[in-house]
Amino acid sequence: MRWNCRLPRAFWGSGLGRAHQPPEAIQRHRQNLAEWFIRLPREEHQFGPTFALDAVHVDPVIRESTADELLHTPVELALEHQPPQPGLPTLALSQLFDPDACGRRVQTVVLYGTVGTGKSTLVRKMVLDWCHRRLPTFELIIPFSCEDLSSLGPAPASLCQLVAQRNMALKEVLPLMAAAGPRLLFVLHGLEHLNLDFQLAGTGLCSDPEEPKAPAAIIVNLLRKYMLPEASILVTTRPSAISRIPSKYVGRYGEICGFSDTNLQKLYFQLRLNQPDCGNSAGGAGVLATSAQRDNLVQMLSRNLEGHHQIAAACFLPSYCWLVCATLHFLHTPTPGGQTLTSIYTSFLRLNFSGEMLDSTDPSRVSLMAYAARTLGKLAHKGVTSRKTYFSEEDVRGCLEAGIETEKEFQLVHVFRRDALRFFLAPCVEPGHLGTYVFTVPAMQEYLAALYIVLGLHKTTLQRVSKDVAELVGRVGEDVSLVLGIVAKLLPLRVLPVLFSLLKVVPRVFGRVMGKSREAVAQAMVLEMFREEDYYNDDVLDQMGASILGVEGPRRHPDEPPEDEVFELFPMFMGGLLSAHNRAVLAQLGCPIKNLDVLENTQAIKKKLGKQGRQVLPPSELLDYLFFHYEFQNQRFSAEVLSSLRQLNLAGVRMTPLKCTVVAAVLSRGKHTLDEVNLASCQLDPAGLHTLKPVLLRARKLGLQLNSLGPEACRNLRDLLLHDQCQITTLRLSNNPLTAAGAALLVEGLAGNTSLTHLSLLHTGLGDKGLELLAAQLDRNQQLQELNVAYNGAGDTAALALAKAARGHPSLELLHLYFNELSSEGRQVLRDLGGTAEGGAQVVTSLTEGTAVSEYWSVILSEVQRNLNSWDQARVQRHLELLLRDLEDSRGATLNPWRKAQMLRVKGEVKALLEQLRGSGS
């Protein structure tokens, strides 16, 4: 991580002089530093407007190390945390400058740690503690960003000028610095950005804080203790740059070990995820809605950590604890406009790498992220293509050391191993795979593999040869023209056109090879997205939640055959990395993606999706397909590709607020009608209905069964039915606790709706009052053709009132009243009502109509079969026994053998249902 802008170079403090100015200056200094360091990075804004880093800070483990230990660089991959040497304690921030084991005063402390261990956060916390007077050891802290100092180049400036550059009020007290002694602390953050030369021939001695020197020379003389020799100095750096300071100038080394204690990880998550509810920010970002939801997430996460899951190894790095919290926040809270999973991962990398160079001493100045994309991206892509997540040491070495020819290249590999390899790879802790390595979180492998592709780093042998040939022809094109002029004197003239044509063909062939390559990339992406083997697993968002929170219930036995690895996020990340926002962030990381490449890749993907996207997908795969479009963030592209989508079947998919946002964002721009939208058993709530409203307005048939929708949801349904663009003809609301209060709102919607023809309110708890409301208001709707109010606990009076209203309705053809609490007399009255007049709605109350089987008997029994496990079994059994009695009575009242045979068949179906019901009950 880095400080995104240049920091206040320094300010002056109190207690260092007798004048009145120093106390005022230090107070202003504290205020200015606090105001600066309390500012949140852009990536933290998603956690809400009142979120404060100071309130959730957890100190990482710092263990003391020695110069001798640092000299022995391990030969093996620097992945595992090395155990501390015996007798070397862990250190708290307040103990960094305590006397050493020999009682000597410690003036210079070097803290080192790999990317992601929390160096920047620790410095931020230390400075804020001093600003809030929680660090009384020092009268003044002056922080410097070494990255900012390096940007100044060799331009000379004195220490006083650097200190006072951001605060002119300190100029009067700067001469008192020498009197401050050890209570003056310089913080040099990110030493790896500076090239320091401690040889006298390279950096001369300088003791005067007002003498202009190059910034690097001033830092060298501070560390030499030649300038302000009594001052305390704290240095933070990556491991590869430790040797830039000779050990004789360092009083103590401390390794920042991150959260090597699982309890620290738990504490971090408790503080982060249990922030008080502060509503929605301006951008639409909220916090976890209720305390119970937050507590549940923390408990599930803690159980997963306690189980020694791989996530505990990932959360060794505080940065990955941040990523876990950001992902959970994305999955479980309202999503800010435009935020995607890809943008979270890209922002996460910017938060940790920004524009950092791999090695500031290397003239090539390759960015650390670009190097990771080229090396570990290759490893990740090989794993995806071979469906592999576990890697041996040889696998890792093969990707890191491929193509290395010079000593400088070996040095870059060494720096990357020491500084950043542990950020991306972690030792596997799962039984049966010990000794192998995995990507720190599974999604990081898919992200890096996608980045490797979109950056154009993956090239086949044919591509490389074609490119080399094309470049060669381009370089020698002019020379060839000259040669042909000479050759023309020796060859027949008719040969020249052939030679010129060959020169023109080479670039065209190369262009076609590149085009075929992009088509192959698009084909691979589409095939990964539509793998039939993945059709019946959870959608990718649920998979990601399960990977973080664990899977409830028994785990797979280690002896069972392993399941095939799933890489469904890989195509999502490929699409997401092509979006404009992510490309802008990647450019800051030193990984630019050319606009022409984006256009050509997009066209190739559209071509492949046009062929594959028309197939009917299972609900979870359809959501994954929509999530790909959401990650792509290209509305025009999605509108064109999804124009053929006519059925949106997401039945059984748990529609969280995020998933509702995904579906609405992707489909709301479309104009074509959706023949059917099936959202049965999706755990929808009123907020979800509100989010999905633009999509629901385009549906002809809308299924919302089994969603636990209550009266509050009926407000959304009423508004939906009253909307002037509503196209719904069939609305299925069965098995939702709407109650009579909900019915009162629905009849308002029915009164003003002109499209609805079929309405199912089966088993919605309407009762007598609900049916009476429908009976009183039914004539206000003139289009309804079928109304199902079966299994609603209504009695004879209410059912008869609704039946009479239905018989007089101009368009209603069918009214379902079976499975209500009707007496035998009531059922007879309803049958008689059906036979008293010509026309009018047909009322279905039983499996029989007089002495014949009802033509709707299969409809009734299929509804029972479909809901057998969700309805009250005792109540269903009683109703089935009543139907059985009706069949017996009707069969005995007819002499028609055909009707008797029909009734015998239906009777067998009812008995089978009763047996099934009794069997499940036992």
Side-chain angles (χ1 to χ4, degrees):
M1 300 183 187
R2 59 164 294 195
W3 299 325
N4 290 330
C5 300
R6 291 188 178 177
L7 292 171
R9 298 297 182 194
F11 305 87
W12 189 221
S14 65
L16 302 180
R18 299 182 181 86
H20 182 65
Q21 289 86 354
E24 293 181 355
I26 192 158
Q27 185 56 33
R28 290 195 300 272
H29 178 45
R30 290 184 194 271
Q31 293 172 353
N32 290 335
L33 277 185
E35 182 182 350
W36 182 266
F37 277 87
I38 206 68
R39 293 179 182 178
L40 292 176
R42 188 183 322 172
E43 290 78 9
E44 299 286 6
H45 293 169
Q46 62 179 307
F47 292 103
T50 64
F51 177 79
L53 282 175
D54 197 29
V56 299
H57 177 79
V58 178
D59 285 336
V61 172
I62 304 174
R63 72 170 184 89
E64 189 168 359
S65 59
T66 65
D68 291 338
E69 181 183 351
L70 295 174
L71 289 175
H72 300 293
T73 304
V75 178
E76 66 275 4
L77 294 174
L79 286 175
E80 299 200 47
H81 170 60
Q82 300 298 320
Q85 292 184 2
L88 293 179
T90 59
L91 298 168
L93 276 178
S94 59
Q95 300 173 320
L96 292 179
F97 289 90
D98 287 355
D100 63 14
C102 299
R104 291 174 300 212
R105 181 159 64 95
V106 173
Q107 290 183 280
T108 301
V109 176
V110 174
L111 296 181
Y112 64 94
T114 60
V115 175
T117 49
K119 299 185 294 295
S120 297
T121 307
L122 188 143
V123 169
R124 183 189 299 270
K125 178 64 165 52
M126 189 174 187
V127 172
L128 287 175
D129 279 350
W130 179 79
C131 293
H132 298 148
R133 301 181 184 275
R134 295 194 292 262
L135 199 64
T137 308
F138 302 103
E139 291 186 4
L140 174 65
I141 289 183
I142 300 177
F144 283 111
S145 166
C146 294
E147 184 175 5
D148 291 344
L149 293 178
S150 69
S151 68
L152 298 177
S158 69
L159 176 62
C160 291
Q161 288 174 330
L162 293 177
V163 170
Q165 187 174 0
R166 299 294 179 181
N167 196 329
M168 298 298 296
L170 295 178
K171 292 184 67 174
E172 297 178 5
V173 294
L174 286 176
L176 302 174
M177 280 195 299
R183 293 175 65 78
L184 167 63
L185 174 65
F186 289 98
V187 178
L188 307 177
H189 178 55
L191 187 76
E192 66 272 4
H193 294 283
L194 283 176
N195 296 328
L196 303 181
D197 186 357
F198 279 81
Q199 295 183 359
L200 287 176
T203 305
L205 297 177
C206 176
S207 61
D208 185 1
E210 297 192 14
E211 181 180 349
K213 290 283 184 180
I218 291 175
I219 298 302
V220 167
N221 280 287
L222 281 173
L223 291 168
R224 282 172 173 166
K225 292 301 175 185
Y226 199 77
M227 183 184 292
L228 301 178
E230 296 298 316
S232 301
I233 301 175
L234 176 66
V235 178
T236 67
T237 183
R238 300 202 305 246
S240 64
I242 296 174
S243 59
R244 296 184 189 179
I245 305 177
S247 59
K248 65 182 179 181
Y249 297 124
V250 180
R252 173 173 285 133
Y253 290 98
E255 180 184 7
I256 303 176
C257 300
F259 296 154
S260 55
D261 185 350
T262 306
N263 291 324
L264 293 178
Q265 300 174 10
K266 292 181 184 178
L267 178 60
Y268 181 95
F269 291 129
Q270 288 170 359
L271 292 174
R272 270 271 178 178
L273 298 176
N274 278 319
Q275 287 291 293
D277 191 347
C278 56
N280 290 341
S281 67
V287 296
L288 298 179
T290 67
S291 176
Q293 288 176 326
R294 297 195 297 265
D295 290 341
N296 183 52
L297 285 179
V298 171
Q299 290 174 9
M300 293 179 69
L301 194 49
S302 295
R303 285 197 298 269
N304 210 17
L305 292 170
E306 291 168 0
H308 303 288
H309 193 268
Q310 191 65 45
I311 190 175
C315 292
F316 163 83
L317 295 174
S319 290
Y320 276 92
C321 292
W322 182 93
L323 180 62
V324 166
C325 289
T327 304
L328 287 176
H329 201 270
F330 175 71
L331 294 175
H332 294 276
T333 63
T335 304
Q339 187 184 53
T340 65
L341 186 64
T342 312
S343 70
I344 287 178
Y345 272 72
T346 307
S347 298
F348 168 65
L349 294 173
R350 175 173 60 185
L351 200 60
N352 285 277
F353 294 99
S354 191
E356 289 193 22
M357 300 296 109
L358 177 58
D359 185 357
S360 60
T361 65
D362 181 39
S364 66
R365 299 189 62 78
V366 60
S367 82
L368 206 162
M369 191 62 229
Y371 193 88
R374 188 173 74 242
T375 54
L376 295 183
K378 181 179 182 180
L379 180 69
H381 183 256
K382 283 185 175 180
V384 170
T385 54
S386 60
R387 318 209 66 76
K388 175 180 176 181
T389 58
Y390 305 99
F391 302 94
S392 66
E393 186 170 324
E394 290 72 21
D395 294 333
V396 180
R397 287 185 185 276
C399 289
L400 287 177
E401 299 177 0
I404 291 181
E405 297 177 353
T406 66
E407 181 63 27
K408 197 60 184 177
E409 290 172 337
F410 272 107
Q411 177 62 25
L412 290 179
V413 172
H414 174 74
V415 171
F416 184 75
R417 278 178 176 169
R418 295 201 67 188
D419 292 351
L421 188 59
R422 178 61 181 86
F423 182 85
F424 294 103
L425 294 177
C428 183
V429 299
E430 297 178 6
H433 296 284
L434 298 178
T436 62
Y437 304 104
V438 295
F439 280 86
T440 313
V441 292
M444 184 57 75
Q445 177 180 351
E446 297 175 77
Y447 180 93
L448 288 176
L451 184 61
Y452 184 71
I453 293 297
V454 298
L455 289 175
L457 299 174
H458 176 62
K459 292 181 173 65
T460 64
T461 303
L462 179 60
Q463 283 178 263
R464 288 192 292 267
V465 172
S466 299
K467 183 177 180 181
D468 292 342
V469 171
E471 290 177 351
L472 178 63
V473 171
R475 286 196 301 267
V476 303
E478 296 181 359
D479 296 335
V480 169
S481 298
L482 179 62
V483 171
L484 288 179
I486 299 173
V487 171
K489 299 177 180 180
L490 305 174
L491 296 177
L493 292 178
R494 62 178 178 270
V495 176
L496 289 180
V498 177
L499 295 175
F500 280 111
S501 298
L502 287 174
L503 288 176
K504 295 178 181 179
V505 162
V506 172
R508 292 176 187 171
V509 170
F510 174 64
R512 290 182 180 179
V513 169
M514 293 302 295
K516 292 293 183 182
S517 170
R518 293 189 178 92
E519 288 188 11
V521 168
Q523 178 72 10
M525 189 203 74
V526 171
L527 289 178
E528 188 64 47
M529 191 185 306
F530 295 106
R531 287 181 78 235
E532 293 186 7
E533 296 90 336
D534 301 335
Y535 272 12
Y536 301 102
N537 56 11
D538 293 335
D539 59 79
V540 290
L541 296 176
D542 281 352
Q543 289 178 38
M544 175 154 282
S547 71
I548 295 174
L549 300 174
V551 180
E552 296 297 311
R555 298 192 177 191
R556 183 175 59 84
H557 192 276
D559 294 335
E560 293 181 15
E563 298 176 356
D564 190 19
E565 297 293 348
V566 176
F567 296 98
E568 293 183 278
L569 277 175
F570 170 61
M572 281 63 169
F573 282 139
M574 279 191 64
L577 289 171
L578 294 175
S579 69
H581 169 76
N582 286 304
R583 283 189 285 120
V585 177
L586 286 171
Q588 298 173 17
L589 292 170
C591 301
I593 303 174
K594 297 178 181 178
N595 290 329
L596 182 60
D597 290 341
V598 173
L599 177 62
E600 293 176 347
N601 278 315
T602 300
Q603 291 173 343
I605 292 171
K606 182 189 293 186
K607 180 179 179 181
K608 297 299 179 182
L609 284 181
K611 298 177 181 178
Q612 295 282 346
R614 294 188 183 92
Q615 59 181 295
V616 178
L617 299 172
S620 62
E621 290 300 304
L622 178 57
L623 182 72
D624 291 347
Y625 182 45
L626 297 178
F627 186 60
F628 163 79
H629 285 276
Y630 178 76
E631 290 292 309
F632 205 177
Q633 293 286 298
N634 188 327
Q635 294 178 343
R636 180 179 178 182
F637 171 89
S638 297
E640 292 179 11
V641 172
L642 294 172
S643 60
S644 61
L645 183 68
R646 289 294 183 267
Q647 291 190 332
L648 181 64
N649 180 15
L650 297 175
V653 174
R654 186 173 60 93
M655 293 299 291
T656 62
L658 171 62
K659 295 176 189 177
C660 292
T661 300
V662 167
V663 174
V666 172
L667 295 179
S668 59
R669 289 302 185 97
K671 302 299 182 183
H672 65 281
T673 299
L674 297 170
D675 295 335
E676 183 175 6
V677 174
N678 187 354
L679 295 171
S681 302
C682 288
Q683 302 180 35
L684 273 173
D685 57 12
L689 290 176
H690 177 75
T691 303
L692 291 169
K693 185 176 179 179
V695 179
L696 304 184
L697 286 171
R698 293 164 47 203
R700 291 285 190 186
K701 296 180 180 179
L702 176 58
L704 296 172
Q705 313 94 295
L706 291 163
N707 274 297
S708 299
L709 297 173
E712 186 64 29
C714 292
R715 297 182 184 277
N716 302 89
L717 295 171
R718 176 197 61 190
D719 297 342
L720 184 67
L721 291 172
L722 292 176
H723 198 281
D724 58 358
Q725 295 180 10
C726 179
Q727 303 180 47
I728 300 173
T729 59
T730 300
L731 177 58
R732 296 186 290 270
L733 294 171
S734 57
N735 297 301
N736 286 296
L738 304 180
T739 71
L745 295 166
L746 284 177
V747 294
E748 295 180 22
L750 285 174
N753 180 269
T754 58
S755 64
L756 194 65
T757 58
H758 295 74
L759 175 63
S760 175
L761 299 174
L762 170 74
H763 191 216
T764 51
L766 301 182
D768 288 338
K769 187 175 180 181
L771 265 66
E772 290 168 358
L773 282 169
L774 286 169
Q777 303 289 331
L778 194 60
D779 60 343
R780 297 178 62 187
N781 180 286
Q782 301 295 307
Q783 287 78 33
L784 202 62
Q785 298 175 13
E786 182 178 355
L787 176 61
N788 189 339
V789 289
Y791 198 9
N792 270 293
D796 294 348
T797 304
L800 182 60
L802 182 58
K804 289 182 178 178
R807 293 291 292 178
H809 195 275
S811 61
L812 198 64
E813 300 173 357
L814 188 60
L815 175 65
H816 300 262
L817 281 171
Y818 48 87
F819 272 37
N820 278 295
E821 303 303 315
L822 304 176
S823 64
S824 56
E825 294 80 7
R827 289 197 299 276
Q828 187 58 48
V829 171
L830 289 171
R831 289 194 192 97
D832 295 342
L833 180 66
T836 56
E838 292 293 331
Q842 184 172 355
V843 181
V844 181
T845 60
S846 179
L847 296 175
T848 60
E849 295 175 8
T851 59
V853 173
S854 170
E855 63 179 299
Y856 300 102
W857 71 268
S858 60
V859 175
I860 298 173
L861 294 185
S862 64
E863 286 285 1
V864 176
Q865 179 70 58
R866 189 160 43 244
N867 298 285
L868 201 59
N869 295 324
S870 59
W871 286 355
D872 180 82
Q873 295 191 354
R875 190 173 172 187
V876 173
Q877 182 174 342
R878 179 165 55 84
H879 282 292
L880 286 175
E881 290 170 349
L882 286 174
L883 293 178
L884 203 59
R885 193 176 311 146
D886 281 348
L887 285 169
E888 291 286 356
D889 293 343
S890 298
R891 186 166 177 268
T894 183
L895 298 176
N896 188 317
W898 171 247
R899 289 184 177 180
K900 284 180 178 287
Q902 276 189 312
M903 290 183 184
L904 193 61
R905 177 193 171 192
V906 176
K907 181 180 176 181
E909 297 280 351
V910 176
K911 283 187 174 181
L913 284 173
L914 279 169
E915 289 296 327
Q916 186 177 345
L917 195 61
R918 289 164 183 158
S920 61
S922 62

